[in-house]
Amino acid sequence: MQTRQFITLATTVLLTACGGGGGGGGGTTTASTTSTGSSTATGGSALSGNTGSGTSSGTNTATTINDPLFAKQWHLKNTGQEGGTAGVDINVQPVWQAGLNGSGVSVSVIDDGLDAWHEDLLINTRLASSLNMASNSKAGWDPTPENSSDDHGTSVGGLIAAAANSFGGRGVAYGATLLGVNLLAASSADSNDATALLHGKSLIAISNNSWGNPDNDNELGYSGPLAKAAIAQGATSERGGKGIVYLFAAGNGATQFQSDGSVLQTGQRSGYDSFNNTPYALNIAAVQADGTPSEYSEPGANVLVSAPSDSTGSVMPGLYTTTVSLARLTSLYRGQLWLYPNYRPDFGGTSGATPITAGVVALMLQANPSLSWRDIRWILARTARSVSNASETGTSAMGHGVYSHKTGFGLIDANAAVAMAKTHTALPAMKTCTLTLANSAQSPDSNGQLQRAASSGSCDISQLESADLSLQLDQPGNPNPAGQLAIQLDSPSARSSILATPHSCFVKNTQGDFVVNSCSKTYSDWAFHSVRHMGENPAGQWTLKISGMLASDTLAGSQLVLRGF
């Protein structure tokens, strides 16, 4: 199994160390698996965390904000800070003013660690129910990193639930409770993934996953059967049957930096990572502070919505959030001494967009705890706002009527999502319908193209939630099996899910540059997930189109699973 990595943009360094302490990205270390059990914490002690409002002062409310970095947190309120466009934010202040802050909702932060003792996270961290999966000297319930370089999860946690106090900034759901799980500090193993994805299952409502398979080679990245089963269990059985809301970062591989600072367009798509293809998770893309898609954010028919984050290079501001305590001591930001060593001004990637969405989901669940994970997905799609300059646009049956493979149904709107959550009637029980597109070897025509169709006339579904396409492609002797193919699924309403495009794969040379390499992985047993057709009536003919095949390539089988109500 491939090494897991966090999904933050690690190519632009705006903040530099001036002496000691400046933290950066982090890798994975070898670890052993610990118990998946969780203990119930009560009260507001440092060990258990606060399960109440998350505020350390009764005077620091939605209308009286004393957090010194709040004015710079453009994703919460964009006034044009650092070159952004006013109004490009998540529209969360009306929700706070209505008295909602995520209180009573628990979120699992699966990452490289969580500084549970951080001044802005301590009151909202349920430490006794967290999990240390690393081989280190810390207790089995303490996910706090031993190294300041492992600051990714701490930054993620701050975007979700940094407390309302007189320190740093503020989280979207500043009264929510966090559970830390430092999966990325453990060895890459299917069993570890499954353990992390179900840890605290009796406590959590949301699982934030700002990580996935590596973005930088453009190869297909697989998830194991135990991880897939864990997500399916969490979504279908936990939280009293309403399901854990699994959020995954869509990925940052659409662009990569070369050693000379130039930007390489890679063709990476979110659907090339199996973790982003589970039918039970929500995939989140990134939009920068001027309201346009972040260039690095990977497109895909599996992208549900997008949320604020940084940009390629230093054109737009990054996200202001927490970091490991004192990690940014004696550091510079834009040429000036950085005065907040427990915080950072430069977080980003779809890693940053995902926890911002998790915070919005926590507000929705506080407003209406009876919402299922499917209800959450439906509401986010219905209430998202359109995104400027989003590529691959097309009509949609949901939301504002436009879908983009780059940004999904649009930019999340906390106020609109919470308003709909309050009055939303639960979706009917999910139904599934399986269509067979191929059940024997099918060869391409002389142009390397293959087309298969099936009718869904017998499906008892009136509105779709998702479509999942499985492929069993046989490509013996093909030197570039996945890289040469274009794969598209067309609905009866003539809306297209672009699942794969011809692309190169890459390796890094000794100079640190990406050079073209053949794509060795195959679609011999691969499933694509699409939410692009949400809200459509599936009745009619569905068509699979594949181009770029060699004469020796065959489609051994293909199944389309339609889910809806």
Side-chain angles (χ1 to χ4, degrees):
M1 182 170 292
Q2 298 187 52
T3 301
R4 303 285 172 261
Q5 67 170 25
F6 44 72
I7 311 298
T8 190
L9 191 62
T11 52
T12 303
V13 180
L14 296 179
L15 187 147
T16 57
C18 179
T28 58
T29 57
T30 303
S32 59
T33 304
T34 56
S35 171
T36 61
S38 58
S39 59
T40 302
T42 58
S45 69
L47 185 63
S48 66
N50 182 16
T51 57
S53 68
T55 56
S56 58
S57 170
T59 62
N60 192 4
T61 65
T63 54
T64 305
I65 298 176
N66 299 326
D67 310 87
L69 289 176
F70 172 77
K72 297 181 178 294
Q73 290 183 291
W74 63 268
H75 66 282
L76 300 176
K77 184 174 178 59
N78 193 337
T79 60
Q81 306 97 309
E82 298 183 39
T85 300
V88 177
D89 54 45
I90 62 170
N91 191 24
V92 72
Q93 282 195 286
V95 181
W96 295 346
Q97 290 163 358
L100 297 176
N101 63 7
S103 178
V105 180
S106 294
V107 185
S108 174
V109 177
I110 302 177
D111 217 287
D112 63 353
L114 180 70
D115 185 356
W117 309 98
H118 192 286
E119 61 185 5
D120 230 357
L121 300 178
L122 173 62
I123 195 172
N124 285 339
T125 299
R126 191 186 289 261
L127 189 54
S129 300
S130 295
L131 177 63
N132 175 18
M133 300 183 71
S135 295
N136 58 29
S137 61
K138 295 186 179 295
W141 40 259
D142 189 354
T144 302
E146 289 196 318
N147 302 308
S148 61
S149 59
D150 293 328
D151 65 344
H152 188 267
T154 300
S155 297
V156 166
L159 290 171
I160 299 170
N165 49 30
S166 59
F167 303 120
R170 178 176 290 201
V172 175
Y174 58 85
T177 300
L178 301 176
L179 278 69
V181 181
N182 58 353
L183 170 67
L184 302 188
S187 59
S188 294
D190 187 25
S191 58
N192 282 350
D193 295 342
T195 295
L197 289 162
L198 282 177
H199 180 74
K201 62 185 180 181
S202 64
L203 301 173
I204 63 172
I206 304 163
S207 174
N208 188 94
N209 299 274
S210 292
W211 57 275
N213 285 300
D215 292 325
N216 58 12
D217 58 10
N218 224 358
E219 286 278 15
L220 301 179
Y222 297 90
S223 58
L226 297 178
K228 292 176 181 177
I231 294 174
Q233 175 185 326
T236 59
S237 300
E238 304 304 330
R239 205 165 56 93
K242 296 184 292 294
I244 296 168
V245 183
Y246 285 100
L247 300 172
F248 274 85
N252 302 336
T255 59
Q256 296 286 350
F257 278 100
Q258 299 286 44
S259 61
D260 63 0
S262 62
V263 176
L264 174 69
Q265 304 289 333
T266 70
Q268 178 81 26
R269 301 183 71 84
S270 183
Y272 300 159
D273 189 337
S274 185
F275 282 104
N276 295 114
N277 280 324
T278 170
Y280 302 107
L282 286 57
N283 298 295
I284 312 302
V287 171
Q288 56 195 18
D290 65 354
T292 61
S294 298
E295 190 175 15
Y296 56 77
S297 189
E298 295 176 21
N302 55 352
V303 172
L304 180 70
V305 289
S306 47
S309 195
D310 64 347
S311 66
T312 299
S314 58
V315 179
M316 291 288 122
L319 300 172
Y320 287 74
T321 183
T322 48
T323 190
V324 172
S325 298
L326 300 181
R328 298 303 174 105
L329 189 65
T330 67
S331 294
L332 301 177
Y333 179 60
R334 300 186 184 274
Q336 301 296 318
L337 183 65
W338 178 243
L339 300 178
Y340 304 92
N342 302 334
Y343 303 84
R344 60 184 300 179
D346 57 352
F347 195 63
T350 53
S351 275
T354 305
I356 291 172
T357 306
V360 172
V361 173
L363 298 174
M364 295 166 67
L365 287 173
Q366 183 188 10
N368 184 354
S370 67
L371 296 173
S372 72
W373 75 272
R374 292 170 53 222
D375 295 324
I376 293 290
R377 179 173 64 177
W378 191 264
I379 293 170
L380 288 175
R382 283 285 302 273
T383 58
R385 293 176 284 166
S386 61
V387 176
S388 301
N389 300 327
S391 61
E392 300 180 283
T393 55
T395 60
S396 169
M398 283 289 285
H400 50 76
V402 176
Y403 180 85
S404 165
H405 287 72
K406 189 73 171 176
T407 55
F409 292 99
L411 178 64
I412 56 172
D413 186 318
N415 191 42
V418 169
M420 184 174 175
K422 290 178 178 179
T423 60
H424 176 74
T425 301
L427 296 179
M430 180 183 283
K431 301 175 182 178
T432 62
C433 180
T434 302
L435 309 182
T436 300
L437 295 168
N439 58 7
S440 60
Q442 306 291 319
S443 300
D445 62 20
S446 59
N447 295 317
Q449 298 178 342
L450 186 152
Q451 184 168 306
R452 299 291 300 172
S455 173
S456 61
S458 61
C459 290
D460 184 24
I461 296 175
S462 61
Q463 292 193 68
L464 278 176
E465 295 177 60
S466 67
D468 295 273
L469 177 71
S470 296
L471 296 174
Q472 298 87 51
L473 274 164
D474 187 13
Q475 299 173 282
N478 192 324
N480 189 34
Q484 67 192 33
L485 299 182
I487 303 173
Q488 178 175 319
L489 177 68
D490 292 344
S491 74
S493 302
R495 297 184 175 99
S496 298
S497 284
I498 308 301
L499 303 175
T501 56
H503 61 274
S504 298
C505 288
F506 300 92
V507 293
K508 263 191 174 183
N509 63 18
T510 55
Q511 288 74 43
D513 285 323
F514 292 92
V515 295
V516 173
N517 191 37
S518 61
C519 300
S520 61
K521 305 294 178 61
T522 73
Y523 295 115
S524 59
D525 182 19
W526 190 261
F528 286 104
H529 175 62
S530 173
V531 293
R532 191 265 180 273
H533 306 286
M534 187 179 290
E536 291 186 37
N537 186 320
Q541 181 171 284
W542 288 80
T543 305
L544 167 64
K545 299 176 180 177
I546 306 176
S547 61
M549 297 176 70
L550 300 183
S552 57
D553 295 347
T554 58
L555 178 64
S558 179
Q559 305 79 37
L560 177 63
V561 179
L562 304 175
R563 292 179 168 87
F565 56 91

